[in-house]
Amino acid sequence: MSAPLIVPGDLGDPRVLRLLEDHLADMFATSPPESVHALDVSGLQHPSVTFWALAEGDALLGCVALKQLDPAHGELKSMRTDAAARGRGLGRLLLAHVLEESRSRGYRRLSLETGSQDFFLPARTLYLRAGFVETGPFADYALDPNSVFMTREL
């Protein structure tokens, strides 16, 4: 089997759509609707957003997006690893890709919003290990007990 590759994501690919549907289903199953900030396909098609897929052969293993908030600040969005592929370090691979892309764009900061529930503990742990620190709301977010806001200076 070939090594996983991160490629521009095709938002019309049924494999991508299934992964995003699974992502949104988990978000709505875990958080109140007003606290779900995951982007749907139309949100990922916005010109400020770049979307990538993680593929290994014909299998789609994950995805991630980067939203430009301003010329110096990006936001990590829609990071997801397929449930069957978890535990392989693919989240670290996706995060490293977005950090590298953020630096190449000249961003000075990368921020994210994730859930405060136990379901999100693996994600929060990954971000902390990658140098993110908890912070307050950024961009259009408001303080929410169901959200954890994190940022990393680049």
Side-chain angles (χ1 to χ4, degrees):
M1 188 168 282
S2 59
L5 294 174
I6 297 173
V7 297
D10 176 358
L11 291 166
D13 182 332
R15 299 170 305 161
V16 168
L17 296 175
R18 182 197 53 79
L19 193 65
L20 293 172
E21 287 168 6
D22 290 349
H23 182 61
L24 287 169
D26 278 347
M27 300 306 99
F28 282 102
T30 308
S31 301
E34 65 275 9
S35 297
V36 174
H37 303 288
L39 297 176
D40 60 12
V41 171
S42 66
L44 290 168
Q45 291 171 329
H46 191 274
S48 65
V49 178
T50 306
F51 178 78
W52 294 276
L54 176 64
E56 185 175 58
D58 290 334
L60 184 72
L61 304 179
C63 63
V64 68
L66 177 60
K67 180 178 181 180
Q68 180 169 310
L69 299 175
D70 66 48
H73 190 188
E75 180 181 3
L76 178 73
K77 298 294 292 182
S78 301
M79 193 160 99
R80 173 77 176 197
T81 302
D82 187 77
R86 292 193 182 137
R88 296 179 49 192
L90 301 175
R92 285 191 305 275
L93 186 66
L94 289 165
L95 183 56
H97 177 80
V98 171
L99 286 166
E100 181 180 320
E101 179 67 22
S102 296
R103 284 187 200 96
S104 75
R105 292 180 181 191
Y107 295 165
R108 291 192 301 269
R109 183 166 51 133
L110 182 63
S111 299
L112 62 93
E113 179 276 339
T114 190
S116 62
Q117 298 86 354
D118 288 345
F119 176 84
F120 298 99
L121 181 59
R124 293 192 310 268
T125 301
L126 172 67
Y127 302 139
L128 287 168
R129 287 182 180 156
F132 285 81
V133 295
E134 288 193 31
T135 187
F138 60 93
D140 295 330
Y141 291 103
L143 199 57
D144 180 343
N146 296 295
S147 290
V148 173
F149 303 99
M150 304 178 88
T151 197
R152 178 176 162 171
E153 301 299 320
L154 301 175

